[in-house]
Amino acid sequence: MRRLSITLTFVLIAVLLSATPSRAETANRDYGIIKNQDSPLAKLRSVDLKDVRWTEGFWAERFVQTRDVTLPRLWELASDPEKGHAIQNLRIAAGLEKGQFKGTGWQDAWVYKWLESACYIYSVTGDRQLDKQMDEIIEVIAKAQQPDGYIATQITIRGLQRFENPGHHELYTMGHLMTAACIHHRVTGKTTLLNVACKAADYVYETFRGRDPKLGDFPRNPSIIMGGVELYRTTGQKRYLDMANFFIDWRGSRYGKGRRNSWGMITSGSDLNQNWRPLRKETEVVGHAVFFTYLFAGAADAYMETGDETLLNALERLWSDLVNKKMYITGGVSPIHKAHPVRSLQPGHLSAITGDSIHEGVGGPHELPNDSAYNETCGQIGNLMWNWRMLAITGQARFADIMERTLYNSILSGIEVDGDDWSYTNPLRWHGPEHILRSNDSHKRFAPGTRHICCPTNLMRTVASWHNYLYTVNNKGLWIHHYAGNVFDGKLADGRKLKLTQKTNYPWDGKVLITLDAVESGDPFSILLRIPCWAKSSNLKINHKPTNIFRYKPASYTALEQKWATGDVIELNLPMSVRMIMANPLVEQTRNQVAVMRGPVVYCLESIDVPQGVRFEDICLPANAKWNVQHKPNLLGGITVLKTKALVIDKTIEKDIGGYYQVNDVALRHIDITMIPYYAWNNRREPKMTVWLPVKW
Ligand SMILES: [Zn+2]
């Protein structure tokens, strides 16, 4: 484990706040991660990236870590000629140095996602050195672009033919370029990267708009749909929205016919990339988790602009299928490493249809294995992005609930608590040294290099931009989706200024104090607070007086409408009792087991937190377990642990045959165990781990 000293102090955060660019410098800055202020079908509008500043607590600490550890570390690795070679690829394509291409077909996206992350950090810090560093690499990117707008070093350096193999990911890397360019323009006002992205998008638009059947299998990973819509929002150029729409329409438009490319791979009519059936007709989620979440997020973006209800109806159907039948308690969305796809041709009847194989994706309904759970971190990030867009469209809390569950569990589990090593897969059970490794599984988190490169920068841009996911506005008022220590200093939809402070130790504590620091006078407006799905008994006070408790329904927003004044205080108390959760009994792998949650955090048990000599697999929880909740500021970056008396099954066994044993002399005895947040697993040696534990009812 690489140990870097991180000083997470209020002093640092104060420095961070004082480095904030002035309003004059931010004249060109506007809008959030998605610029949906003018989107006709967005019910909720993003606030500006500059409007929210972290102050203290869980996310302030992670932001500082991302700025001070993760961002420089991923630049260092991208620049390393042996380990990363991502910068070198661009420099070689730009003619600035000689050499061969190294890495994956998506190596360029490392740099684009790094740039996007740097932009989010710059939007808060105004760090001129970082701005200069961005300018320098953007200059290289511009030189690496071909005269006709095409840019993909994995092809140009190797002299390969363009769009020969969807596995080369040319449209995937260009999609990330477009997103990064929009954010760069938004936070710096510069057009240097935006010009490159527009030129690339113009090229893609011209190349694909004729729908040449030979290009029907592109893109495989459809980041370009989100990138195209965002480019439309940023520039107002309709052809970029058209480009996004024809990629949505095209997918699955020649469904039902598996087609082999020149390499013999079935690439069309394939469930892997949702190509078997058009999105609008699809009834269930299939295939690669990053492909489907990016497709659905892009389609939600397109809906916000076009109002095409057939798209929204499909997205609602697919959301319901995923969340009810194919998602882990941690929010993980790719249970399957490799398999043949199965579909439910009729209720209760699964069938493999296309005969092609899928990987890193979903399987059939309730097919949720724990030890072989794949859950590539990027799939969960795609799911978060999709749910953010569904939230903007509907204003419904269930989407924010999924974002929260995913973020605190199967996204944060993808990074070491020190911020400088990553995991690609996020299983829910680990058998220690005997664990059977699937591709990209690892006993230890690792640094990315010429492989495994997608998740670290994707995770970094998510953490670096999380401040923009906390609030939205509309004509009702200010919506608060997520709780964390921060200051919001922005505007309501009617242009009135509003400043407020959230003070909380969430997710460890359920108390959230919201102080209105400055309210511009005018009509009453609402502050809408999300009551999470798990918060069954919340209470709320306004200016220290309790309010009607019957209003606080879980999985909904509570609208507090009144004429607000400077100095008003809202106190929300979310219940933080420890909860035992069971799964749908159709999930074979969790039958008679429970998972433990507190607030939004899923807990796990690691073998180093049980008494020596106890067989890890023999531990179970009594249904009436009493929990001792303790905050440990110096453990694993600061976590709240859960201690309890568990049960261990003492028994003798006799060999029956093979791996089967006869069980005799069973007795139960109590032992002390400590459970930690799932996201922090695998940071201390290489223990066994489980999220689900057998329960004695
Ligand atoms: Zn990834």
PDB file of all heavy atoms in Angstrom, residues 376 378 424 454-455, ligand 1:
ATOM      1  N   GLU A 376     -17.880  -3.995 -11.952  1.00  0.00           N
ATOM      2  CA  GLU A 376     -16.847  -3.024 -12.335  1.00  0.00           C
ATOM      3  C   GLU A 376     -17.282  -1.633 -11.881  1.00  0.00           C
ATOM      4  O   GLU A 376     -18.424  -1.216 -12.103  1.00  0.00           O
ATOM      5  CB  GLU A 376     -16.657  -3.024 -13.860  1.00  0.00           C
ATOM      6  CG  GLU A 376     -15.589  -2.040 -14.289  1.00  0.00           C
ATOM      7  CD  GLU A 376     -15.649  -1.675 -15.765  1.00  0.00           C
ATOM      8  OE1 GLU A 376     -16.360  -2.352 -16.515  1.00  0.00           O
ATOM      9  OE2 GLU A 376     -14.988  -0.704 -16.143  1.00  0.00           O
ATOM     10  N   CYS A 378     -16.952   1.286 -12.927  1.00  0.00           N
ATOM     11  CA  CYS A 378     -17.530   2.178 -13.947  1.00  0.00           C
ATOM     12  C   CYS A 378     -19.018   1.915 -14.171  1.00  0.00           C
ATOM     13  O   CYS A 378     -19.756   2.835 -14.539  1.00  0.00           O
ATOM     14  CB  CYS A 378     -16.802   2.020 -15.279  1.00  0.00           C
ATOM     15  SG  CYS A 378     -15.163   2.745 -15.282  1.00  0.00           S
ATOM     16  N   TYR A 424     -10.895  -2.910  -9.674  1.00  0.00           N
ATOM     17  CA  TYR A 424     -11.733  -2.893 -10.868  1.00  0.00           C
ATOM     18  C   TYR A 424     -13.077  -3.551 -10.561  1.00  0.00           C
ATOM     19  O   TYR A 424     -14.120  -3.090 -10.992  1.00  0.00           O
ATOM     20  CB  TYR A 424     -10.994  -3.666 -11.959  1.00  0.00           C
ATOM     21  CG  TYR A 424     -11.556  -3.561 -13.346  1.00  0.00           C
ATOM     22  CD1 TYR A 424     -11.106  -2.573 -14.221  1.00  0.00           C
ATOM     23  CD2 TYR A 424     -12.505  -4.462 -13.805  1.00  0.00           C
ATOM     24  CE1 TYR A 424     -11.605  -2.489 -15.514  1.00  0.00           C
ATOM     25  CE2 TYR A 424     -13.000  -4.381 -15.087  1.00  0.00           C
ATOM     26  CZ  TYR A 424     -12.544  -3.392 -15.945  1.00  0.00           C
ATOM     27  OH  TYR A 424     -13.036  -3.312 -17.223  1.00  0.00           O
ATOM     28  N   CYS A 454      -9.862   2.308 -16.851  1.00  0.00           N
ATOM     29  CA  CYS A 454     -11.076   3.124 -16.958  1.00  0.00           C
ATOM     30  C   CYS A 454     -11.604   3.595 -15.616  1.00  0.00           C
ATOM     31  O   CYS A 454     -12.055   4.731 -15.488  1.00  0.00           O
ATOM     32  CB  CYS A 454     -12.152   2.355 -17.715  1.00  0.00           C
ATOM     33  SG  CYS A 454     -12.466   0.719 -17.035  1.00  0.00           S
ATOM     34  N   CYS A 455     -11.558   2.729 -14.590  1.00  0.00           N
ATOM     35  CA  CYS A 455     -12.248   3.059 -13.337  1.00  0.00           C
ATOM     36  C   CYS A 455     -11.610   4.215 -12.550  1.00  0.00           C
ATOM     37  O   CYS A 455     -12.334   5.080 -12.055  1.00  0.00           O
ATOM     38  CB  CYS A 455     -12.350   1.835 -12.443  1.00  0.00           C
ATOM     39  SG  CYS A 455     -13.164   0.421 -13.214  1.00  0.00           S
TER      40      CYS A 455
HETATM   41 ZN    ZN B   1     -13.929   0.831 -15.305  1.00  0.00          ZN
END
